[in-house]
Amino acid sequence: MKQRIERLREELARHNHKYYVENAPEIGDEEFDRMMRELADLEAAHPEFDDPASPTRRVGSDLSGGFETVTHSRPMLSLANTYSMEEVAEFCTRVEREVGGNALGGLNDAQEVAYVCEPKFDGTAISLSYEGGVLVRALTRGDGVAGDDVTANVRTIHSIPLKLHEVPANSPPAFRCWPASFDIRGEILMPYAAFERLNARRAAAEEALFANPRNAAAGSLKLQSPALVARRGLEAFLYGVVGEGLPFETHSESLRAAREWGFRVSEHTRVCRSLDEIRAYIAEIDGLRAALPYATDGVVIKVDSYALQRRLGATAKSPRWAVAYKFAAESAATRLVSVEFSVGRTGAVTPVANLDPVQLAGTTVKRASMHNADQIALLDVRVGDMVYVEKGGEIIPKITGVDLLARPAVSVPLEFPAMCPACGATLVRDEGEARHFCPNAAGCPPQIVGRIAHFVSRRAMDIEGLGEETIALLVAERLVSTPADLYTLRAEQLAPLPRLGEKSAENIVAGVAASLEIPFARVLYALGIRMVGETTAKYLAAHFRTLDALVSAPPEELAQVEEVGDKVAEAIRGYFADPQNMALVERLREAGVRFEAEEKTVASDALAGRHVVISGSFALHSRDALKEMIEAHGGRNQSAVAANTDFLLAGEKIGPAKLAKARKLGIPIISEEQFLAMTGDVEKSTPSDKNDNNPQERVLF
Ligand code: IVH
């Protein structure tokens, strides 16, 4: 028994980490809850094996580096999950038994309990603090007790008011003014449309895809650049006002007030007064959810009265006045007809399942992802098997299991090919890498076609008229084998080819010539360096300005560039270390492709390569103006103090955590005047009465 308990604890801790920290869950919620329940039951039956570090004792943690961690005003609890109407009925019976007949809660046997039913949004939890009607802080759930301060990122989300709305004088008194200080909790979501756009961009850059909108929302909230967060299309629904002495008696009243104050509260929220009404509500949301533009995974049922909520209280993990009803993940069973192994432009080999067409969540599914060799082995999927496919918000359905009872009498385990299915080269799989790669980059047709298709794509060199089929034709005709060959193509060579003709041939040649105007950042992206997407390419181009500077950059300089970690740096260095790639670059350069960034007006290079964090408010310039000055002098703005921060520009009311971190890391802390002295802007900005201050001699803190 002890062994089983320990095994469950280990597994659950591992899955918690995968879910909250890596944003890459391996198992579904249902499976996770089943394991958690089994552990809780075993622990209850065997108190002798108690362990305060057991996963049953805490909610999962999303804490990650790079953000200040701040304690919540009140812990952010989780919800108990139910998966059937029977369990919901048990919840209601328990609530009504506990509150029934007791005058304390203002309720007696004859009275019914009111419940508020809300959609359960499938995103990531957030706690917002408002003071004097102004958003002052946004924290993730973290470990439930303290969360990461993601205020700068949350400020970019349009459905979150930075300042609360004034409420008309004819509104009920409790709505008229908001509490001087309160928190409101809710969920940050990425709508499906934004999620698909994001993944399409990442797929084009061969960056890892987000498994579902929930992970994409959680990942986006933890980006280090608010400007990037702003582009991710996040939205928020709020569902809980928290604070001392709130002027409400019920949860539903607080939600109506929150809506008046400018928060986005779901219009599908409803007060239900019986189990039948709750049942009808659940059925309604279940029917509606496929049409909603964002993911929901259930319904939350909350006791409406605050007095009853207080009486019911909470366990260490979840309130006893609320419960979640979770919808079963949509899945369907179908037959696995065959498996294809397709080769991408980087040589990565991906298994794709061909299925007997099956209806799932409103669409016909014919193909499903099988990820990699480990996944195939784990599931022991075989051709001819009846398999379960699921679409849990993911764009591509995936195979989640096999019906072993329906396995044909004769079947063989599926083997990952040893040779490239396109060119026959022996596949390689590096240590720690889940995928197999074809190493024959120069000679493997799908890789050649893929690289050229990426090079000409709209966001790269934007050369029209060259779809994958046409490129495959040009490769087969030996007219091109690298993107550089495009620049020597003549219309007479193209016109006779099937489906082309003179007009298309001329358009292609003109498009190739026009691509010589494409700026360096996009050229860099077009090269298709592994892990260098559009954004990273922009940062690299802005930092290095020329390809030559990038090629000869030492690893420590690469690491200074935003979005460039060890793996990206390694991919960049690996790319330029390959003589074939350098030969391609040289041929493109000869053709006239831009390998230098346009000149930008810079005030000076006084801060070249320096990372500056700004905190607090300043006497002479706004924070935005100071940020612009940093960039104009060649510096880079950073949102959080990190090991590579060069200095902290400190104003009044500087964030105490930023200050403490800078001190701990020994990062110089400078005043506005000292900063202006460094950039040489001191004359322009210092009012005459401050001219006799010698900024260099004033040391703050
Ligand atoms: S109330 C103490 N209401 O579900 C009660 N949570 O599984 C706290 N969630 O951490 C939550 N929709 O992130 C509540 N309408 C809703 C919700 C909701 C989604 C999330 C929330 C919570 C998680 C618990």
Side-chain angles (χ1 to χ4, degrees):
M1 198 48 60
K2 187 160 183 258
Q3 262 181 346
R4 178 72 189 152
I5 290 179
E6 276 169 5
R7 171 113 183 98
L8 282 167
R9 283 178 183 157
E10 268 167 35
E11 276 293 286
L12 285 163
R14 192 172 71 79
H15 288 306
N16 258 339
H17 192 269
K18 287 234 144 243
Y19 183 101
Y20 285 106
V21 180
E22 296 175 31
N23 284 324
E26 264 176 18
I27 56 171
D29 289 354
E30 215 160 318
E31 173 66 6
F32 182 86
D33 281 339
R34 196 199 51 69
M35 287 165 70
M36 189 66 99
R37 276 193 207 194
E38 185 188 340
L39 177 59
D41 289 347
L42 287 176
E43 283 177 344
H46 297 277
E48 68 275 22
F49 301 134
D50 183 39
D51 180 353
S54 170
T56 52
R57 298 286 196 89
R58 62 183 210 134
V59 289
S61 166
D62 67 14
L63 293 176
S64 54
F67 293 93
E68 266 171 43
T69 303
V70 180
T71 305
H72 293 296
S73 60
R74 288 189 198 179
M76 282 183 86
L77 299 179
S78 193
L79 286 168
N81 285 332
T82 61
Y83 295 94
S84 68
M85 271 321 291
E86 288 72 48
E87 288 176 290
V88 175
E90 278 169 26
F91 165 74
C92 294
T93 311
R94 180 169 60 73
V95 165
E96 283 154 40
R97 191 178 54 233
E98 289 196 32
V99 300
N102 188 328
L104 259 180
L107 192 92
N108 58 46
D109 277 339
Q111 278 177 304
E112 61 203 357
V113 174
Y115 298 93
V116 179
C117 294
E118 303 166 5
K120 186 170 190 307
F121 305 102
D122 197 7
T124 185
I126 195 79
S127 180
L128 309 173
S129 301
Y130 283 80
E131 275 167 29
V134 174
L135 173 68
V136 293
R137 180 162 274 159
L139 303 178
T140 64
R141 184 166 76 166
D143 60 7
V145 175
D148 278 340
D149 184 337
V150 289
T151 315
N153 287 346
V154 163
R155 279 185 203 283
T156 68
I157 301 173
H158 294 287
S159 41
I160 292 181
L162 299 180
K163 222 171 154 255
L164 300 186
H165 298 183
E166 298 296 337
V167 178
N170 59 0
S171 312
F175 295 14
R176 233 170 279 153
C177 52
W178 47 81
S181 163
F182 71 97
D183 289 357
I184 186 162
R185 291 177 175 171
E187 202 84 351
I188 307 267
L189 302 166
M190 184 175 288
Y192 290 123
F195 169 70
E196 271 157 32
R197 270 200 307 275
L198 172 65
N199 259 355
R201 281 204 301 266
R202 294 177 73 89
E206 294 219 347
E207 291 169 340
L209 300 189
F210 283 109
N212 53 46
R214 179 194 339 112
N215 293 346
S220 302
L221 213 51
K222 295 292 187 83
L223 286 169
Q224 294 290 343
S225 154
L228 284 182
V229 182
R231 294 183 9 189
R232 293 268 170 110
L234 296 175
E235 292 188 13
F237 277 104
L238 284 306
Y239 47 63
V241 183
V242 177
E244 295 300 323
L246 297 176
F248 313 112
E249 290 187 357
T250 60
H251 173 57
S252 52
E253 207 186 338
S254 77
L255 291 183
R256 281 201 301 278
R259 192 180 279 137
E260 294 284 332
W261 300 340
F263 292 106
R264 185 153 182 222
V265 174
S266 169
E267 67 270 35
H268 302 296
T269 302
R270 183 181 305 162
V271 176
C272 292
R273 294 177 193 280
S274 67
L275 192 58
D276 279 344
E277 284 183 22
I278 295 175
R279 194 192 317 265
Y281 176 86
I282 290 176
E284 202 176 304
I285 297 293
D286 202 1
L288 187 76
R289 60 195 283 252
L292 292 177
Y294 45 79
T296 51
D297 61 345
V299 158
V300 182
I301 303 143
K302 302 174 180 171
V303 169
D304 194 19
S305 153
Y306 277 171
L308 296 188
Q309 286 189 6
R310 277 194 291 274
R311 284 197 34 216
L312 286 156
T315 68
K317 283 183 60 186
S318 49
R320 297 173 69 244
W321 45 263
V323 78
Y325 170 88
K326 302 270 296 231
F327 297 127
E330 289 190 71
S331 91
T334 186
R335 196 163 301 282
L336 175 62
V337 178
S338 63
V339 178
E340 275 169 35
F341 293 87
S342 75
V343 187
R345 76 170 154 88
T346 57
V349 181
T350 326
V352 179
N354 289 315
L355 306 165
D356 266 345
V358 64
Q359 280 296 115
L360 177 60
T363 55
T364 308
V365 173
K366 292 186 216 128
R367 287 159 74 82
S369 152
M370 299 176 78
H371 300 293
N372 52 47
D374 290 343
Q375 191 67 12
I376 292 178
L378 194 74
L379 295 172
D380 182 23
V381 188
R382 303 179 183 193
V383 169
D385 272 346
M386 281 304 283
V387 293
Y388 298 107
V389 277
E390 254 182 42
K391 213 168 154 189
E394 287 84 356
I395 26 173
I396 312 162
K398 61 178 183 208
I399 295 187
T400 54
V402 178
D403 181 354
L404 289 177
L405 294 177
R407 174 162 285 172
V410 183
S411 73
V412 282
L414 200 59
E415 278 197 30
F416 211 90
M419 316 283 206
C420 172
C423 73
T426 303
L427 297 182
V428 291
R429 185 183 183 185
D430 292 337
E431 204 167 314
E433 173 62 77
R435 296 179 297 177
H436 286 71
F437 283 88
C438 165
N440 180 18
C444 178
Q447 291 189 61
I448 298 171
V449 173
R451 278 196 302 270
I452 300 175
H454 171 73
F455 185 84
V456 303
S457 65
R458 202 167 51 78
R459 307 183 79 95
M461 301 304 275
D462 194 19
I463 302 172
E464 277 185 29
L466 285 174
E468 288 212 10
E469 269 183 42
T470 311
I471 298 171
L473 192 65
L474 300 186
V475 171
E477 293 288 328
R478 301 191 180 278
L479 286 172
V480 296
S481 64
T482 80
D485 298 329
L486 297 171
Y487 292 87
T488 56
L489 281 178
R490 283 171 288 112
E492 314 81 90
Q493 293 174 296
L494 297 172
L497 296 175
R499 291 189 308 274
L500 279 182
E502 260 173 46
K503 183 100 192 74
S504 309
E506 274 163 23
N507 283 345
I508 292 171
V509 173
V512 170
S515 75
L516 298 178
E517 297 302 314
I518 295 291
F520 174 46
R522 279 171 61 185
V523 174
L524 199 49
Y525 167 62
L527 290 180
I529 302 169
R530 249 165 105 179
M531 307 184 76
V532 176
E534 260 182 291
T535 320
T536 309
K538 270 191 202 146
Y539 283 126
L540 288 168
H543 184 96
F544 291 103
R545 322 281 315 150
T546 71
L547 186 89
D548 294 337
L550 171 62
V551 172
S552 55
E556 48 295 355
E557 196 178 350
L558 277 174
Q560 281 174 18
V561 179
E562 201 144 345
E563 297 223 335
V564 177
D566 289 351
K567 282 195 175 164
V568 181
E570 206 179 294
I572 296 170
R573 290 172 62 76
Y575 182 88
F576 292 120
D578 183 337
Q580 286 189 346
N581 292 335
M582 284 313 288
L584 168 70
V585 165
E586 282 320 314
R587 285 190 57 210
L588 289 171
R589 198 199 297 265
E590 275 162 30
V593 169
R594 293 195 175 186
F595 282 115
E596 288 191 7
E598 303 249 88
E599 275 313 304
K600 206 170 67 173
T601 46
V602 283
S604 80
D605 59 1
L607 301 176
R610 304 290 199 93
H611 292 81
V612 187
V613 174
I614 304 186
S615 181
S617 55
F618 297 86
L620 302 171
H621 296 277
S622 69
R623 285 161 62 104
D624 282 346
L626 288 169
K627 283 183 184 169
E628 274 177 25
M629 286 158 89
I630 293 172
E631 305 238 322
H633 290 283
R636 172 90 25 99
N637 239 304
Q638 255 181 339
S639 54
V641 177
N644 69 347
T645 305
D646 289 292
F647 49 86
L648 173 63
L649 174 49
E652 279 207 18
K653 296 199 191 130
I654 177 177
K658 280 205 171 99
L659 188 58
K661 188 151 184 202
R663 282 186 175 150
K664 193 169 141 209
L665 295 173
I667 289 163
I669 299 158
I670 62 161
S671 68
E672 188 180 16
E673 289 94 332
Q674 284 171 308
F675 171 77
L676 296 171
M678 290 168 97
T679 61
D681 291 317
V682 67
E683 292 297 301
K684 287 169 244 164
S685 38
T686 312
S688 54
D689 61 348
K690 290 199 173 175
N691 268 354
D692 48 7
N693 270 348
N694 180 349
Q696 300 293 5
E697 282 173 12
R698 276 191 55 198
V699 176
L700 273 185
F701 310 108

